[in-house]
Amino acid sequence: MTNDKQTLTDAQVEWAMAAALQEAAIAGSVGEVPIGAVVIHDGEIVGRGYNLREHAQDATMHAEIMAISEANRTLNTWRLEDCQLFVTIEPCPMCSGAIINARIPEVYFGARDPKAGTVRSLYQLLEDDRFNHRVTVHEGIEEQAAADLMKNFFKAIRQGRGKAKPRGGQKL
């Protein structure tokens, strides 16, 4: 379901999600789970990110966190009140918390994550009235493309063609 309070044009949404999908493809190409994100401000990308958790051996290196952090640095503020976040896969609890704390008013995502998603699948954190900030959510943007990146990545891993992931302090 897509919320009707969209502030961007359909062309802007398509362009921004294409950029997030490019970030996801980069993650997949280096052996990371292919999730990508971008933060948009006044029609420009001010933050980009893709998963780097395995390479960095850092649980916080999710696409959304990377994109939000870059946007904070670019705009020189922790408040991203005039921004939109685009992410290929539904955010997890940590990323949903960062979205709320950064005061991002709109999130667009591609495919749901039934095992860790906290925007629609397991919880609806971004629209929970108990928080001091609520987010307008738009889902299903390039859903099939986002889902296919994930499906193909994990299929390659199962077939032994995926890139090796570092474990226990190993470096790639």
Side-chain angles (χ1 to χ4, degrees):
M1 260 177 223
T2 300
N3 192 316
D4 292 332
K5 293 171 58 181
Q6 181 173 305
T7 60
L8 301 175
T9 67
D10 289 344
Q12 288 172 313
V13 168
E14 185 178 311
W15 165 78
M17 188 55 83
L21 286 164
Q22 287 175 338
E23 296 296 315
I26 294 168
S29 74
V30 299
E32 294 280 352
V33 175
I35 300 174
V38 295
V39 175
I40 306 299
H41 179 260
D42 290 339
E44 293 184 20
I45 296 173
V46 295
R48 294 177 180 272
Y50 56 86
N51 279 4
L52 280 173
R53 185 168 63 169
E54 294 296 337
H55 281 71
Q57 288 299 294
D58 182 340
T60 67
M61 298 294 273
H62 286 204
E64 300 95 324
I65 302 298
M66 305 288 288
I68 289 168
S69 292
E70 186 174 301
N72 293 146
R73 289 188 304 273
T74 299
L75 299 174
N76 196 33
T77 181
W78 64 268
R79 290 179 182 92
L80 301 177
E81 297 167 323
D82 298 321
C83 296
Q84 298 83 25
L85 174 74
F86 285 77
V87 60
T88 56
I89 302 296
E90 179 182 8
C92 72
M94 174 181 67
C95 295
S96 289
I99 291 163
I100 291 166
N101 284 317
R103 309 293 194 263
I104 296 173
E106 281 184 284
V107 168
Y108 296 75
F109 75 89
R112 287 188 182 195
D113 182 349
K115 293 182 179 183
T118 58
V119 176
R120 292 279 193 252
S121 295
L122 299 175
Y123 301 98
Q124 295 77 42
L125 293 181
L126 300 185
E127 297 170 307
D128 192 317
D129 288 339
R130 294 171 292 180
F131 288 111
N132 64 336
H133 176 73
R134 279 159 301 290
V135 179
T136 300
V137 175
H138 310 275
E139 74 171 287
I141 314 301
E142 295 293 336
E143 179 177 11
Q144 193 61 56
D148 285 348
L149 275 172
M150 296 287 279
K151 182 179 79 177
N152 294 337
F153 175 81
F154 286 110
K155 182 178 179 183
I157 294 292
R158 286 190 302 277
Q159 293 175 346
R161 293 179 309 181
K163 300 212 181 199
K165 292 185 177 180
R167 296 277 182 221
Q170 297 173 357
K171 302 289 183 202
L172 280 182

